[in-house]
Amino acid sequence: MRNFIKIPILLLFAILTLVRCTNEKEDYFKRPGWLEPPIYEVLQKQARFSSYLKCVDRTLYASALKSSGLYTVFAPNDDAFKSYLLSKNFATVDDIPDSTVNAIVAYSIVYNNYSFDHLTDVLSGGWDSLTSIKKKTAYYETVHQETYLGNTVWVYDLPSLFSGSINYKYLPFYLSRVFEQSRSASQAAEDYGIFYPSPGSTYTGSNVQSAAILTKDMVAENGVAHEVDHVLEPLPTLEKILNDPDYSKFKALINAKGSTGVPYFITYMYNKSLTDYFQLALPTKNINEVYFKYYSEIAVNLNGERFGTSDRQAEQGGYTLFAPDNAAIDKFYNDKLKEYYPEGIDSVSKDILAYFINAQMIDELVWPGDYKGSMNSQGEFLNGKGNRGADFNKSNYKKIVPASNGLFYGSDNYIKSRYFETVFSEILLNPTYNLLNTAFTQYFNTTLKEELLKCELNGYTQENYTVLLPSDELLRADGFSWEWIGGSNAYGFVNSNSGASLGNFDVPTRMQRLVRSHIFKRIKNDEINCAITNFYTDPSFAKAYGGYSYAVNEYGDMIRYKDGKIQMLGNYDENDWVTATPYKTFLNGQVFKIDKMLQYSRRNTYPNAPEGYKPQDLYTYFLNMSGGLENTNVAIFKNYIGACLKGDLSNDLAGISSDMVLTIFMPSNTAINRAIANGDLPSLTEVNSDPAARKKATNFILYHMIRGKQFVDDGLTYIMPNKEKITEEVWRTLLKDVVDNTYLAVRKDAAGNLVVSTHVQSTGKNLSTYVRSAIVTRGLKHSNYFGANAVLHEINDYFVYNKVQ
């Protein structure tokens, strides 16, 4: 009996113990009395948010604001709703459509708890030191329909190229501690007022979109609320703002399609997971396929809400779009493209459209106060001149509005781009020069092409270029064509004249040399101006050279010109002339049409022989200059070259290869005789009989040859080509002292004479103290004489290398 009773007693004890524990657990987890109520109740108690709470009650967000979680709510007060209802012609809150109510409420809710002091912080595993200017809201737009390849498809806007998540909208705010970091309070107010001009929107330094924060940090159990004085609707994207008919022609360029109907700059990408999601979420829509949509190959993803490449960057910036209105697009076409694309702007190629579109885009926020020094996505000043240019002028913009992903300026003009304002523009745009443009892309895309695109638009104020334009017709006549090369499985240049019978010359090398031979780099600024604006000579200088003027092209070869006609080495050899006709002037120079190409070889005389594709040997030019009747003043120096450098069976010169670029200073007969008399140069008799004498004489000769640049006597008081005014350069000679290079200084004196000097040390640095100097002797047969990759000058003295101890 005792055992029977014992079991129920133990059971009763266990039950009592369990009840006691349960009660203790409930008491432990019971909501503390000191805890603030949820956001909904906090606002309800304030008694000035009744209209907002009526809207909340009509959405699914009501339960979230009444329960646990972490949210930040920007709650419009009742006065804000009165103004809103009046502006929208609604009698009561109940008249606001459900879709608009949902947008207002979702857009007012930010995920996570941000007190006022933390609104400018980035929350990423803790408070980050980065600066936030906007926060992700609970609002996003769902799928919509568009036409793609002739079919109506469902589309979802991709947040960014780096994210496939939900395309949440971000709420911008303008707090003085951030917005005034890079601008004064007055400039901040002006910038804000331009984008939010409504009389009720005033910059206070505590603004959220067009609203001001009136009461901050209303703390709740599930977050915090801030009172604002405006009802905020979600801002449209830059893409939607472009639906304005005033900018339809610019949008048409962005929406341009290729011959297959595929858009150039918009990508539609089918996604099965996205399709499955929206089929479940929106069963009444009869959704069959959903495509991600995003913009590519232009600087701004116009429909994407998320800036940058990460969640943290998304809070830190946005895009800027300067959209030219329809009249501005017409002006651009008429000014820059109509000559080459008479069929209309729809016929313009993709790359040219991209250059123009990207010139109107910036992948950061540009406020009016920042305009003067800001650049577009291609690195071009918005005002064309940077800090030297004009300030922002509001009157030039008929629509200035904020977008959810940036700032929109509707302009009556277009932002100029170097692709349409420089000497390279003619090569890029004119179909007559397609092969030349292809050569730049193939061989010089990041080098010489970028050089020719330098102008004041991208910060280069003194660069000036003269470009002779070899047409497709001229290049084809030289044997060039652009074809598919099976061996390399790619397109490339071929030349019908390249073969075993013609020496198998390297096609890319020849094309590159020809391109560079037709370009001249110069300087034009307030101090100096040596731009070649025509090929007629300056009589004050040219009379010393029989009426010729001289320059060095980008490859490094000398040319001479007069009366609008030009010669390079090959043209000179054949007594042929290239006629250069002025064509157009651009921001950074001028371009000329030509009737034939500058040549470095005897292309006409030997069209079907190797001699037509390579220069003659250098010794031939020594013979022509000094061996005949051209200039007997340097005959002795030529004889020393023959005795010391020339081979017995050929014209090859020891120590001088065919690809060397040289300036050769040839002491006159008088100077050579003086060197012999002074013991600085053995006689030719000694050279021919004594190896030591020959070695000394060889060193003497090599010390008069500069390697790497052709210096011409052009009458300027500074050395060209260069990027700045330089009156002296020190270059190595062909003489080596054991293993060390030796140097000569080449300079221009105040009268523009070309002077060459030895100096006190052989470091290759510019010096101002000279041991011995010689002046180039002017005269058509004396100096600026053509050589193979060389220029020959007569000088009035000689040099002897003495090693500095």
Side-chain angles (χ1 to χ4, degrees), residues 544-548 550 560 630 778-785:
Y545 285 98
Y548 291 100
Y550 298 84
R560 70 176 186 177
E630 296 279 281
R778 286 180 172 170
L780 183 60
K781 307 300 183 182
H782 294 269
S783 295
N784 286 341
Y785 198 89

Side-chain angles (χ1 to χ4, degrees), residues 35-225:
L35 189 65
E36 299 288 348
I39 291 173
Y40 189 96
E41 294 182 28
V42 167
L43 296 177
Q44 196 174 41
K45 287 181 180 179
Q46 295 291 327
R48 61 181 185 275
F49 299 100
S50 58
S51 295
Y52 174 70
L53 294 179
K54 283 183 180 180
C55 290
V56 170
D57 289 336
R58 291 171 57 185
T59 72
L60 296 176
Y61 297 101
S63 60
L65 298 187
K66 292 178 180 178
S67 58
S68 60
L70 284 177
Y71 307 101
T72 300
V73 173
F74 294 90
N77 58 31
D78 288 339
D79 287 339
F81 264 93
K82 287 180 182 178
S83 299
Y84 177 78
L85 295 175
L86 183 63
S87 67
K88 300 293 184 178
N89 293 320
F90 294 133
T92 68
V93 171
D94 296 334
D95 296 329
I96 304 175
D98 289 342
S99 59
T100 302
V101 166
N102 187 73
I104 290 171
V105 173
Y107 193 58
S108 72
I109 299 173
V110 168
Y111 290 109
N112 289 317
N113 181 351
Y114 294 99
S115 66
F116 181 81
D117 289 340
H118 277 306
L119 279 175
T120 54
D121 296 331
V122 177
L123 184 60
S124 178
W127 296 114
D128 205 304
S129 60
L130 301 173
T131 300
S132 175
I133 62 170
K134 57 185 178 180
K135 296 296 182 189
K136 183 171 68 176
T137 71
Y139 180 73
Y140 65 93
E141 296 177 351
T142 61
V143 291
H144 60 279
Q145 289 185 307
E146 293 187 11
T147 300
Y148 174 57
L149 296 179
N151 300 313
T152 300
V153 298
W154 290 94
V155 170
Y156 186 75
D157 294 324
L158 193 68
S160 78
L161 301 185
F162 306 93
S163 172
S165 60
I166 295 175
N167 200 23
Y168 289 108
K169 283 193 179 288
Y170 286 73
L171 180 66
F173 41 83
Y174 310 97
L175 307 185
S176 58
R177 61 179 177 269
V178 170
F179 200 47
E180 295 176 22
Q181 277 184 345
S182 59
R183 56 179 63 82
S184 65
S186 60
Q187 185 63 59
E190 183 177 347
D191 285 351
Y192 180 85
I194 289 174
F195 276 90
Y196 300 101
S198 172
S201 297
T202 303
Y203 177 71
T204 64
S206 299
N207 297 90
V208 180
Q209 203 163 297
S210 60
I213 297 176
L214 301 180
T215 305
K216 60 187 178 183
D217 295 343
M218 293 182 285
V219 180
E221 172 190 355
N222 56 349
V224 64

Side-chain angles (χ1 to χ4, degrees), residues 299 322 332 352-364 366 370-387 414-422 424-425 428 449-450 452-460 587:
F322 285 83
F332 168 70
I352 294 173
L353 289 179
Y355 292 138
F356 176 73
I357 292 169
N358 282 324
Q360 321 308 314
M361 295 179 169
I362 306 95
D363 54 359
E364 62 182 10
V366 176
D370 304 325
Y371 171 83
K372 189 172 185 177
S374 294
M375 289 180 160
N376 62 22
S377 65
Q378 297 177 157
E380 298 150 342
F381 286 116
L382 303 182
N383 66 357
K385 294 185 177 181
N387 291 327
Y414 59 89
I415 296 172
K416 292 182 178 180
S417 169
R418 65 192 190 275
Y419 291 99
F420 306 100
E421 307 291 341
T422 60
F424 188 74
S425 304
L428 172 69
K449 176 180 173 179
E450 288 298 318
L452 300 186
L453 288 166
K454 289 180 177 178
C455 64
E456 64 180 2
L457 295 178
N458 55 341
Y460 297 92
L587 288 179

Side-chain angles (χ1 to χ4, degrees), residues 179-482:
F179 200 47
E180 295 176 22
Q181 277 184 345
S182 59
R183 56 179 63 82
S184 65
S186 60
Q187 185 63 59
E190 183 177 347
D191 285 351
Y192 180 85
I194 289 174
F195 276 90
Y196 300 101
S198 172
S201 297
T202 303
Y203 177 71
T204 64
S206 299
N207 297 90
V208 180
Q209 203 163 297
S210 60
I213 297 176
L214 301 180
T215 305
K216 60 187 178 183
D217 295 343
M218 293 182 285
V219 180
E221 172 190 355
N222 56 349
V224 64
H226 305 288
E227 179 185 3
V228 296
D229 64 355
H230 278 66
V231 175
L232 302 178
E233 290 186 345
L235 293 170
T237 60
L238 292 167
E239 179 190 53
K240 288 193 173 181
I241 296 174
L242 269 179
N243 288 330
D244 186 328
D246 285 344
Y247 309 98
S248 60
K249 291 188 177 182
F250 182 58
K251 187 171 184 181
L253 299 185
I254 296 174
N255 293 343
K257 300 177 178 65
S259 58
T260 62
V262 175
Y264 286 147
F265 310 114
I266 304 175
T267 297
Y268 293 89
M269 182 173 62
Y270 170 72
N271 187 278
K272 186 178 186 306
S273 298
L274 196 66
T275 300
D276 293 342
Y277 173 82
F278 280 108
Q279 283 176 338
L280 291 173
L282 304 171
T284 61
K285 296 286 189 180
N286 297 319
I287 295 172
N288 53 353
E289 291 181 332
V290 179
Y291 290 76
F292 273 126
K293 176 189 177 182
Y294 61 93
Y295 289 80
S296 55
E297 298 189 56
I298 56 176
V300 174
N301 186 30
L302 295 168
N303 64 334
E305 301 287 358
R306 201 178 88 158
F307 174 78
T309 61
S310 67
D311 290 333
R312 296 196 300 174
Q313 283 188 347
E315 294 187 19
Q316 295 180 266
Y319 304 106
T320 303
L321 178 63
F322 285 83
D325 65 15
N326 293 340
I329 295 297
D330 289 340
K331 183 177 186 299
F332 168 70
Y333 171 69
N334 290 328
D335 290 351
K336 303 299 178 182
L337 301 179
K338 188 175 182 179
E339 177 183 357
Y340 313 114
Y341 297 91
E343 303 85 358
I345 201 167
D346 294 340
S347 63
V348 176
S349 63
K350 175 183 176 181
D351 59 336
I352 294 173
L353 289 179
Y355 292 138
F356 176 73
I357 292 169
N358 282 324
Q360 321 308 314
M361 295 179 169
I362 306 95
D363 54 359
E364 62 182 10
L365 296 174
V366 176
W367 291 90
D370 304 325
Y371 171 83
K372 189 172 185 177
S374 294
M375 289 180 160
N376 62 22
S377 65
Q378 297 177 157
E380 298 150 342
F381 286 116
L382 303 182
N383 66 357
K385 294 185 177 181
N387 291 327
R388 299 180 303 107
D391 290 309
F392 180 80
N393 185 349
K394 184 181 176 182
S395 64
N396 294 332
Y397 303 90
K398 56 186 179 182
K399 185 172 187 175
I400 303 177
V401 293
S404 60
N405 53 351
L407 302 174
F408 181 93
Y409 297 84
S411 177
D412 62 4
N413 208 337
Y414 59 89
I415 296 172
K416 292 182 178 180
S417 169
R418 65 192 190 275
Y419 291 99
F420 306 100
E421 307 291 341
T422 60
V423 291
F424 188 74
S425 304
E426 192 64 28
I427 300 169
L428 172 69
L429 301 175
N430 195 332
T432 304
Y433 308 109
N434 280 338
L435 288 178
L436 182 60
N437 185 30
T438 302
F440 271 97
T441 302
Q442 183 78 353
Y443 303 125
F444 307 109
N445 201 40
T446 60
T447 52
L448 186 55
K449 176 180 173 179
E450 288 298 318
E451 281 274 323
L452 300 186
L453 288 166
K454 289 180 177 178
C455 64
E456 64 180 2
L457 295 178
N458 55 341
Y460 297 92
T461 58
Q462 68 174 15
E463 282 72 10
N464 191 274
Y465 306 92
T466 294
V467 180
L468 310 178
L469 297 168
S471 65
D472 288 358
E473 181 182 359
L474 292 177
L475 288 169
R476 289 193 185 103
D478 201 78
F480 287 103
S481 59
W482 179 253

